[in-house]
Amino acid sequence: MRFEEQLLMDLKAEIVDRDERRRRVTRRLFAGSTVALVAMTAAFAVPLLTETAKPAYAVSKKADGTVRVEINEFTDADQLERDLNAAGVRADISYLPPGKECKVGRGKTVSQVVATGPDSSAVARMRGDVLDINPRRLGGDQTLVLEFAGNATETAETKKQQMLWRLTSSVITGQVGPCVAIDDPTWKGVRGS
């Protein structure tokens, strides 16, 4: 009987061992399937998360106290004004279609203020789509007035134009009047015209 008992115990151990191996393989397959599913989901989700549209603009305060504005589209001027105000710059922003400008006489103009070169006395410096503003150059009752005319992004239609967009700037002391859009006789429109 001892031989039979030993045989039964060995058989039982073999069955238990086989069941244990089957469970491990099943767990590995399940874990492998989970990893594959996560990887596949990431392959679809990551491009969707990373290919988000750029915001219309970004405002950041630099260590030297200047405020940087990066403009991607000419939209949401009111919010840009609020964000600049929160960063210490009183501003009046107007976005106009190509060939338009704000009518002169919006207030007591102090100066033209945006430089494209290394002018250290300028309130702001424009390089490409980036505007660096020095709030220390604005008086307490002064407003930086920026008028952007044209299109922020180039399209097939705008490629025909000599100018994509133009910035007109000034500092106004006291109240700033509203922008009344008028035709801009200096606008360089369609090439060849």
Side-chain angles (χ1 to χ4, degrees):
M1 192 77 170
R2 203 157 227 309
F3 175 75
E4 289 176 3
E5 284 179 39
Q6 184 62 39
L7 188 62
L8 280 173
M9 287 178 68
D10 287 344
L11 185 59
K12 187 176 179 182
E14 176 72 26
I15 291 171
V16 169
D17 188 45
R18 194 178 318 151
D19 284 346
E20 184 60 32
R21 278 184 286 174
R22 188 177 301 134
R23 271 190 231 117
R24 272 187 255 146
V25 168
T26 303
R27 274 189 239 129
R28 279 190 209 132
L29 286 174
F30 180 72
S33 298
T34 303
V35 169
L37 182 62
V38 169
M40 196 166 52
T41 303
F44 288 108
V46 169
L48 292 175
L49 294 174
T50 57
E51 291 180 14
T52 58
K54 285 183 176 181
Y57 65 87
V59 174
S60 58
K61 199 153 189 174
K62 295 168 51 178
D64 65 358
T66 59
V67 176
R68 176 163 281 181
V69 182
E70 296 179 52
I71 299 174
N72 298 313
E73 328 179 344
F74 295 154
T75 59
D76 213 357
D78 293 337
Q79 185 61 48
L80 177 54
E81 288 175 8
R82 287 190 291 274
D83 290 346
L84 283 170
N85 192 41
V89 177
R90 183 186 301 173
D92 183 284
I93 311 292
S94 298
Y95 293 136
L96 300 158
K100 296 290 183 181
E101 66 180 348
C102 293
K103 187 175 181 180
V104 178
R106 296 181 64 192
K108 183 179 173 189
T109 302
V110 176
S111 64
Q112 302 298 321
V113 294
V114 175
T116 54
D119 183 359
S120 61
S121 66
V123 173
R125 184 172 300 132
M126 187 83 184
R127 285 186 219 112
D129 296 340
V130 176
L131 180 67
D132 288 320
I133 304 167
N134 187 342
R136 295 180 299 266
R137 301 234 182 260
L138 286 172
D141 194 26
Q142 293 181 329
T143 303
L144 175 62
V145 178
L146 301 172
E147 301 167 8
F148 294 89
N151 301 295
T153 54
E154 190 170 62
T155 64
E157 183 65 29
T158 61
K159 282 184 180 185
K160 298 174 191 168
Q161 296 173 198
Q162 289 182 1
M163 289 191 307
L164 183 61
W165 59 272
R166 182 173 67 194
L167 169 63
T168 305
S169 63
S170 61
V171 171
I172 292 180
T173 300
Q175 178 114 7
V176 178
C179 174
V180 176
I182 60 171
D183 288 336
D184 178 357
T186 64
W187 180 262
K188 295 182 178 149
V190 178
R191 289 186 179 142
S193 64

